[in-house]
Amino acid sequence: MTDIAVRAEGVSKSFGKTLALRNIDLEVPRGIVFGLLGPNGSGKSTTVRILATLLQPDTGIATVDGIDVVKHPDKVRQRIGLAGQYAAVDEYLTGRENLVMFGRLSGMSKSDARARADELLHQFDLADAADRVSKGYSGGMRRRLDLASSLMARPPILFLDEPTTGLDPRSRLALWQTIQGLVTDGITVLLTTQYLEEADRLAQRIAVLDKGDVIAVGSPGELKARVGGESVEVAVVRPADLDTATRILAASASEAPRVDVERNRVIAAVADGAAAMARVSGAIAEAGIATEDLALRRPTLDEVFLSLTGHTAEDEDEEPAA
Amino acid sequence: MSSPIRSLRDSGVIIWRQLIQLPRIPEVLIFALIQPVMFVLLFRYVFGGAIQTPGESYVNYLMPGIFAQTVAFGAVASGIGLAEDLRRGIIDRFRSLPMSRSAVLVGRTVSDLVRNAAVVAVMMGVGLLVGFRPSGSVGAIILAFALLFLTSFAFSWIGVVIALSLKTVEAVQSAGFIWLFPLTFASSAFVPTDSMPSWLQGFAVNQPFTVVVNAVRALFLAQPVGTLVWQALAWMIGITAVMIPLATRQYRRRTG
């Protein structure tokens, strides 16, 4: 066993004349959540489909647990789980029937599959709905069933393709906690997302994809530092406090604060986000300034893209269907 | 686990999946029944009186044709079912599992065979209600049903090939029906072929659907069978033998 769970070297893929992936390299260390971040059409799903043996690369080598995905797809399939936008559950089967079916097709015996399904239904809070047809499930329940399906055979490596796209904020938060729990159990997770917040929250390492290229790799902190990082924003209740607030912010900021007199706001870039935030909020309280809002602003995916590529992360061309 | 056993086991799981779905999507089954029932009523009571079938009552002539048409139209359901699975992404999940490659297609065609058998059984009941009186021996009638089931299997594979060759469910739906109309109507299923113009007879007499209908009809009605059953068997086995590798190749291409 190597300490690299998933590796791609010089992987390219075209659909007709559209180049979906251009010579990408990736290394996913074992036991972490690795985030593939990018807008629609950047090549995230193509990457996952190649790694999950659904698609063959035109060039390059991709390995999972050191096993070549093109030469030994069946061995790779014994080690992976796939969930997310491209891997559906059967909506005319119950939650339990879905799990048992996927377990049986992974080679589990009937009794093993039933026992494991029970376990997952409880773990994913689906026990009450277990014997209902999944067509009637809410979006959050369906994603949990989808995730549980991919975990039936206890794969050491899990691919999650946009696991929270289209979910409401509460379900998204719940799913994030579930995904974090998986890594605690020792599973390696490769997740694709369009949301910087999601990658930031879940991933220990992030690769940013743009038009089929890996344009940056690093920890969330490293990436944000490259993007220019965070800023602290203060909105005061009394306009008279604006000057004091500006002075306080200036003391912690990495550049001169910008003042918005009309909205009684001042904002400044900071180098050490959370620490700066703590200093500013302490000083504001000490000075007795009433605030309407005091917040640490993080860069959005748009800002990351603007800074890394010079263009924003508006949807690129639709990814061609395989 | 050795691969043929694995293949059988996985096909069994897929067949189980399709069959427990059946009662949960009643509209599919109801539609599969309404259509042949409509044809029976239409031909038995509307057109039937005007169609001459020497030596047999029209309803006895009609029902074997209806049975054959019913299983042939099952190809459309096979195609749509597979196209839906492809669209919804469940095939992708299957492909990410270490399961047998052939199980998805084999499971689909075999479970559709089971469904068609149920529909044909109901149609047999409908036939008896409207006056169908088969005179063949029990053995001949069992052979007739076996031939219908083989036809169902062969046509399902055609439906699968169509589904794998087209991109959208809607296209599969239309394309799945279009070829079936000339095939089932320019045949001996509803009217004797000798009433057709001679240019059409050449096709109608020799095409495989007519061969199947004639064989099934001869078995049900205790008519001389001759080589009809062998011809029908050869056609259906031939179609299956061509369609399975074609479907497998299309499946690889579509999903590779």
Side-chain angles (χ1 to χ4, degrees):
Chain A
M1 266 231 226
T2 60
D3 55 346
I4 299 296
V6 177
R7 192 195 299 270
E9 285 173 275
V11 169
S12 298
K13 180 75 190 176
S14 301
F15 299 104
K17 282 179 185 162
T18 321
L19 191 60
L21 285 180
R22 199 190 327 254
N23 223 15
I24 67 156
D25 296 317
L26 280 180
E27 265 189 4
V28 179
R30 195 172 296 284
I32 68 163
V33 177
F34 187 97
L36 267 183
L37 177 67
N40 282 338
S42 58
K44 304 185 300 290
S45 291
T46 304
T47 307
V48 165
R49 290 174 69 81
I50 287 172
L51 294 171
T53 75
L54 300 186
L55 206 58
Q56 295 207 351
D58 295 337
T59 66
I61 294 173
T63 60
V64 170
D65 250 358
I67 302 162
D68 191 307
V69 297
V70 176
K71 286 186 192 144
H72 305 288
D74 261 328
K75 284 186 183 159
V76 170
R77 290 179 193 129
Q78 284 163 11
R79 288 166 169 78
I80 61 166
L82 174 65
Q85 61 172 350
Y86 279 108
V89 294
D90 191 319
E91 52 185 359
Y92 293 107
L93 299 192
T94 67
R96 189 190 308 279
E97 287 165 349
N98 263 298
L99 294 181
V100 170
M101 172 177 71
F102 291 125
R104 296 277 288 146
L105 294 175
S106 306
M108 298 169 87
S109 73
K110 220 176 259 183
S111 57
D112 280 357
R114 285 199 185 128
R116 177 70 172 148
D118 250 348
E119 191 182 322
L120 286 168
L121 286 164
H122 280 99
Q123 188 186 333
F124 285 83
D125 205 14
L126 290 167
D128 291 339
D131 297 311
R132 278 188 2 230
V133 173
S134 67
K135 196 175 170 59
Y137 283 17
S138 69
M141 288 163 77
R142 222 179 273 207
R143 294 300 172 97
R144 295 207 298 279
L145 178 61
D146 178 39
L147 195 53
S149 301
S150 68
L151 293 169
M152 274 299 286
R154 303 177 195 277
I157 294 159
L158 190 61
F159 297 114
L160 299 180
D161 198 7
E162 307 208 2
T164 67
T165 297
L167 282 189
D168 62 85
R170 206 171 57 100
S171 309
R172 172 172 295 168
L173 209 64
L175 205 62
W176 283 352
Q177 279 162 1
T178 308
I179 294 169
Q180 273 163 336
L182 295 177
V183 181
T184 319
D185 296 341
I187 294 179
T188 306
V189 177
L190 189 148
L191 122 131
T192 76
T193 181
Q194 307 184 41
Y195 309 113
L196 182 63
E197 190 194 359
E198 183 161 283
D200 189 11
R201 170 83 179 252
L202 293 175
Q204 282 80 57
R205 282 184 78 73
I206 297 173
V208 183
L209 276 169
D210 177 44
K211 294 178 178 156
D213 281 319
V214 176
I215 53 170
V217 186
S219 68
E222 285 165 0
L223 283 180
K224 278 185 290 185
R226 280 183 63 176
V227 176
E230 300 151 325
S231 52
V232 172
E233 185 171 356
V234 183
V236 297
V237 176
R238 293 181 299 272
D241 288 334
L242 202 55
D243 275 351
T244 322
T246 306
R247 267 201 306 283
I248 289 170
L249 218 52
S252 282
S254 54
E255 48 189 63
R258 283 162 295 156
V259 184
D260 181 347
V261 181
E262 274 167 37
R263 293 164 65 217
N264 294 326
R265 268 166 201 276
V266 55
I267 185 165
V270 293
D272 52 349
M277 177 70 188
R279 286 197 306 278
V280 170
S281 86
I284 293 271
E286 211 167 290
I289 296 174
T291 56
E292 213 170 76
D293 185 21
L294 173 57
L296 187 62
R297 301 270 181 245
R298 296 200 158 90
T300 64
L301 179 61
D302 262 345
E303 287 163 323
V304 171
F305 264 78
L306 198 56
S307 133
L308 290 171
T309 67
H311 64 85
T312 53
E314 83 277 9
D315 283 4
E316 289 165 14
D317 294 334
E318 276 289 295
E319 232 159 302
Chain B
M1 208 182 294
S2 72
S3 116
I5 294 178
R6 182 66 202 257
S7 190
L8 275 179
R9 213 193 79 156
D10 289 346
S11 301
V13 174
I14 299 289
I15 293 168
W16 166 81
R17 168 208 175 215
Q18 316 269 104
L19 292 183
I20 58 172
Q21 281 187 350
L22 265 189
R24 295 175 191 173
I25 324 174
E27 60 269 27
V28 171
L29 211 53
I30 290 169
F31 179 71
L33 277 170
I34 284 179
Q35 190 174 290
V37 169
M38 293 254 290
F39 273 110
V40 169
L41 298 179
L42 205 60
F43 278 91
R44 168 80 175 83
Y45 297 112
V46 180
F47 299 127
I51 300 168
Q52 301 305 313
T53 49
E56 279 296 343
S57 69
Y58 183 66
V59 66
N60 277 353
Y61 181 90
L62 173 70
M63 285 315 294
I66 291 283
F67 296 149
Q69 192 205 28
T70 303
V71 297
F73 273 54
V76 182
S78 299
I80 293 174
L82 182 61
E84 277 286 345
D85 278 353
L86 282 163
R87 186 184 61 80
R88 284 185 304 173
I90 194 152
I91 302 280
D92 276 345
R93 161 109 56 200
F94 288 147
R95 293 180 58 241
S96 77
L97 299 175
M99 65 181 277
S100 149
R101 290 314 229 190
S102 54
V104 171
L105 301 183
V106 172
R108 160 77 51 195
T109 48
V110 173
S111 61
D112 285 346
L113 169 59
V114 174
R115 190 202 56 217
N116 274 342
V119 174
V120 166
V122 175
M123 290 315 296
M124 181 70 189
V126 172
L128 293 174
L129 279 179
V130 299
F132 177 49
R133 296 291 177 265
S135 50
S137 67
V138 174
I141 289 177
I142 290 174
L143 185 55
F145 278 119
L147 195 51
L148 286 169
F149 298 156
L150 177 62
T151 306
S152 160
F153 192 64
F155 275 66
S156 275
W157 280 101
I158 300 177
V160 162
V161 169
I162 292 174
L164 290 168
S165 310
L166 298 172
K167 284 206 156 55
T168 66
V169 179
E170 291 73 18
V172 172
Q173 194 146 18
S174 321
F177 269 115
I178 286 168
W179 63 281
L180 280 167
F181 281 104
L183 195 75
T184 56
F185 283 98
S187 79
S188 65
F190 304 101
V191 292
T193 46
D194 50 22
S195 65
M196 297 176 192
S198 59
W199 58 268
L200 187 56
Q201 274 189 38
F203 169 75
V205 172
N206 296 301
Q207 58 120 325
F209 189 74
T210 294
V211 173
V212 168
V213 169
N214 288 347
V216 170
R217 184 177 288 138
L219 289 166
F220 270 116
L221 303 181
Q223 293 169 350
V225 169
T227 59
L228 275 175
V229 173
W230 292 112
Q231 288 178 45
L233 275 176
W235 266 113
M236 291 307 119
I237 291 171
I239 288 175
T240 311
V242 171
M243 289 300 149
I244 289 180
L246 210 58
T248 312
R249 207 196 61 182
Q250 289 288 91
Y251 184 65
R252 287 226 179 86
R253 245 189 34 193
R254 175 69 177 262
T255 55

